[in-house]
């Protein structure tokens, strides 16, 4: 099997069980003792990016926790199952025989709707989702009959949904005219000084709902990004207000 990438899930034997693990590194020195073979590589592409794996290893070291616990916290729900939990969509593409048919090859018995489907698919090199074909009045039954004749291939393709796709304030633009209050300005200047120090610092911003905490976080994040650095915003899993905590580096 191919060597799994860092961040990819693998199925490994532990005692009488088979569990899902995550590749975190390739040690330079071969470990001693009895080694067991990986049973299966679940992900051809890393489920967790390498920088997220590195963050988990830092978290495990900083909080004196097991790296497996940190990795488990970073995994999306259901990631420990064998199959991926990403939402999939069915995508139809032309086969070589289907392309030849569109180009004038023999294909007796095709209906006008089936020929229309082939012509539509011929315009896309990567294929089209069945939902999009349905919007063009090409049913799944038509695609299925073409697939049965070897003219079309239908595959399941993972799709990553945009978490901000349905955001209530997706079209809201930042206002440069918004002026901070005296307390907000004092808090922002103190936190900005910590950010500019480019050192590991911890700060707590405390305020009631509506006191402007999020505004200060956004301005700090903008300051960090303009300096070519990174910002991570974490939202509580259960929260009644849009409070956020920021990590800057």
């Amino acid at each position: 099997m191919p060597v799994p990438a860092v961040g990819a899930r693998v199925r490994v034997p532990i005692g009488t069980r088979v569990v899902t693990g995550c590749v975190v590194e390739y040690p330079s020195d071969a470990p001693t003792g009895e080694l067991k073979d990986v049973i299966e590589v679940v992900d051809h592409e890393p489920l967790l990016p390498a920088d997220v794996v590195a963050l988990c290893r830092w978290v495990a070291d900083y909080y004196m926790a097991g790296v497996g616990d940190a990795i488990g916290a970073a995994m999306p729900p259901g990631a420990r199952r064998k199959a991926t939990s990403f939402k999939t969509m069915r995508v139809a593409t032309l086969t070589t025989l289907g392309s030849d048919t569109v180009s004038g090859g023999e294909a007796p018995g095709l209906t006008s709707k089936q020929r229309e489907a082939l012509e539509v698919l011929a315009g896309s090199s990567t294929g089209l989702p069945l939902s999009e074909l349905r919007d063009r009045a090409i049913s799944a039954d038509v695609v299925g009959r073409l697939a049965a004749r070897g003219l079309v291939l239908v595959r399941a393709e993972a799709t990553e949904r945009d978490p901000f796709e349905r955001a209530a304030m997706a079209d809201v633009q930042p206002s440069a005219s918004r002026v901070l209050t005296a307390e907000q300005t004092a808090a922002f200047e103190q936190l900005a000084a910590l950010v500019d120090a480019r050192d590991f610092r911890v700060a707590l911003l405390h305020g009631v709902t509506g006191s402007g905490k999020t505004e200060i976080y956004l301005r700090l994040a903008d300051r960090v990004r303009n300096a070519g650095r990174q910002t991570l915003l974490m939202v509580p899993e259960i929260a009644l207000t849009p409070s956020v905590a920021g990590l800057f580096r």
Side-chain angles (χ1 to χ4, degrees), residues 135-156:
D135 293 340
R136 301 188 185 192
I138 299 174
S139 66
D141 179 68
V142 171
V143 177
R145 293 180 183 276
L146 292 173
R149 297 186 60 169
L151 302 174
V152 169
L153 175 66
V154 180
R155 70 181 188 277

Side-chain angles (χ1 to χ4, degrees), residues 52-130:
V52 174
V53 175
L55 174 62
C56 291
R57 299 185 66 182
W58 177 86
V59 168
D61 179 69
Y62 185 79
Y63 291 101
M64 294 184 290
V67 66
D69 294 331
I71 290 287
M75 288 283 187
R80 296 190 180 187
R81 296 196 299 265
K82 179 178 179 180
T84 178
S85 295
F86 285 143
K87 182 180 179 181
T88 60
M89 61 180 177
R90 299 180 68 195
V91 178
T93 55
L94 283 184
T95 63
T96 303
L97 180 59
S99 298
D100 293 341
T101 300
V102 174
S103 301
E106 294 292 332
L110 289 179
T111 65
S112 59
K113 183 59 70 173
Q114 289 172 342
R115 291 187 177 278
E116 178 186 350
L118 292 177
E119 291 173 359
V120 170
L121 290 173
S124 175
S125 59
T126 58
L128 293 173
L130 265 60

Side-chain angles (χ1 to χ4, degrees), residues 219-231 248-249:
R219 296 196 181 202
L220 287 171
D222 188 59
R223 191 185 189 102
V224 171
R225 292 180 66 249
N226 289 336
R229 292 148 65 195
Q230 295 179 338
T231 300
F248 310 100
R249 67 182 179 89

